[in-house]
Amino acid sequence: MARSLLYAANWKMHHGPAAARTFIERFLELTRPAEGRRLWFFPPAVSIAATCEAADGRPDITVGAQNVHWEPKGAFTGELSVPLIMEFGARAALVGHSERRHLFGETDEQVGRKVAAVLKAGITPLVCVGETLAEREAGRTEQLVVRQVDAVLERVPSAEWSRVVVAYEPVWAIGTGRNATPDDAAQVHELIRFELGRRGVKVRVPILYGGSVNKGNVLALLARPELDGVLVGGASLEPEGWAELVGMGA
Ligand code: PEP
């Protein structure tokens, strides 16, 4: 079976609706659907509808939210529920991105609840896990990543993992220009798969690598069969550069 690769763009707090539309229009001029390649975009919430509209007719593109609340509705000022982001057209959601965990205090328990809520609504969670530099240097990468995966397993029974995608994103590699080596990444991907298997997950869960991925390192990373794709922030912000990057592994 041909390999399937997923390229996910996390635009963080960039590209309002007009810029998102312009980006996608240009990106569509530069790319064609390619066998086995899926393209996911995570624009800011206000740009989800515009991104979906602009990408309409491209079956290889999925648009998702960068964050969701675990309750479907209620008194949660400033939050967005899964049904609300679905009304905009989102069909995926990033959960537990390191910026959410470290800048906004999101806990393992909240991440687990969010993944369960996303699955319950019938869309796909992209769950991010990864250690900080201090944890890596203290030799605690394994312990930390397993703890984060286990917190999701607490809320999501093993049978439901066929609809989950994981991203391994070492915190020290995000937006720093310092990426994990293909060996580092592959080793942690294997560890995650081992833990999922040990806890009864029978399917092969796709695992992306994220952290300063760019045109110069993507091929070496994707050469490792343990990686099923990449989650990219900075290098996904320009349509020309992003189109070139997603074309490199095709
Ligand atoms: C990210 O935002 O998930 C990310 C990996 O960012 P960058 O590619 O800029 O390191």
Side-chain angles (χ1 to χ4, degrees), residues 10 12 94 97 99 128 169 173-177 210-213 231-235:
N10 175 18
K12 310 192 188 201
L94 270 182
H97 188 278
E99 286 150 19
C128 304
E169 297 206 301
I174 299 179
T176 58
S212 294
V213 173
L231 172 56
V232 183

Side-chain angles (χ1 to χ4, degrees), residues 95-112 115 127-130 144-145 147-149 151-152 167 169 171:
V95 183
H97 188 278
S98 77
E99 286 150 19
R100 301 293 322 162
R101 292 179 189 262
H102 296 284
L103 301 177
F104 300 100
E106 209 165 274
T107 64
D108 286 349
E109 205 239 335
Q110 291 171 340
V111 171
V115 177
V127 194
C128 304
V129 298
L144 193 280
V145 169
R147 191 197 79 201
Q148 291 176 335
V149 169
V152 180
E169 297 206 301
V171 180

Side-chain angles (χ1 to χ4, degrees), residues 74-153:
F76 300 102
T77 302
E79 292 289 318
L80 289 174
S81 66
V82 185
L84 286 176
I85 58 127
M86 288 176 72
E87 229 176 294
F88 284 144
R91 291 295 174 263
L94 270 182
V95 183
H97 188 278
S98 77
E99 286 150 19
R100 301 293 322 162
R101 292 179 189 262
H102 296 284
L103 301 177
F104 300 100
E106 209 165 274
T107 64
D108 286 349
E109 205 239 335
Q110 291 171 340
V111 171
R113 282 174 185 260
K114 290 179 181 200
V115 177
V118 171
L119 286 170
K120 189 169 172 210
I123 64 171
T124 309
L126 173 47
V127 194
C128 304
V129 298
E131 80 288 1
T132 63
L133 184 59
E135 287 157 346
R136 171 158 284 255
E137 285 175 344
R140 293 182 54 230
T141 299
E142 179 168 338
Q143 188 189 340
L144 193 280
V145 169
V146 166
R147 191 197 79 201
Q148 291 176 335
V149 169
D150 284 353
V152 180
L153 282 158

